[in-house]
Amino acid sequence: MLYVSGLVCFFGGIVAFSTYQAHTLNVLLSLEAIMLSLLVVLYTFNCFSGSPSQSFLVLLTFAACEAALGLSLLVSMLRLWGNDYVDSFGSMKF
């Protein structure tokens, strides 16, 4: 059941990432939701397979680094431009 809920959260994070792109914080939160749901899926897979794996710790480390990097980029953008709108950047327009 935990495996299925992790997959539902993963696809919900992908939908949120593709639809809510007005603010940079929304994009970062949806990326973090995707990463945490992948952690849940990997953890349940490792528990059911019975083989201890280091990949869970590696993915957890990447998730923490991603969150720290995203927060530092958000603070830098707020200091430079004064807002966190994704539409105000020329290279990010769709």
Side-chain angles (χ1 to χ4, degrees):
M1 190 66 174
L2 191 61
Y3 186 73
V4 173
S5 64
L7 287 176
V8 167
C9 289
F10 176 74
F11 289 118
I14 289 177
V15 167
F17 180 74
S18 62
T19 56
Y20 302 123
Q21 292 187 349
H23 294 282
T24 309
L25 189 59
N26 289 343
V27 173
L28 291 175
L29 283 174
S30 61
L31 284 175
E32 194 65 28
I34 291 170
M35 196 62 123
L36 289 176
S37 64
L38 283 176
L39 279 171
V40 168
V41 168
L42 185 65
Y43 179 73
T44 55
F45 180 73
N46 284 340
C47 285
F48 288 140
S49 68
S51 62
S53 177
Q54 304 297 331
S55 60
F56 176 73
L57 292 176
V58 170
L59 194 59
L60 183 64
T61 304
F62 283 144
C65 292
E66 174 201 2
L69 182 64
L71 187 60
S72 66
L73 286 174
L74 180 65
V75 168
S76 296
M77 285 189 314
L78 286 174
R79 285 185 180 176
L80 287 175
W81 290 293
N83 62 9
D84 68 334
Y85 293 118
V86 175
D87 294 335
S88 65
F89 308 120
S91 64
M92 299 278 291
K93 287 187 178 180
F94 297 106

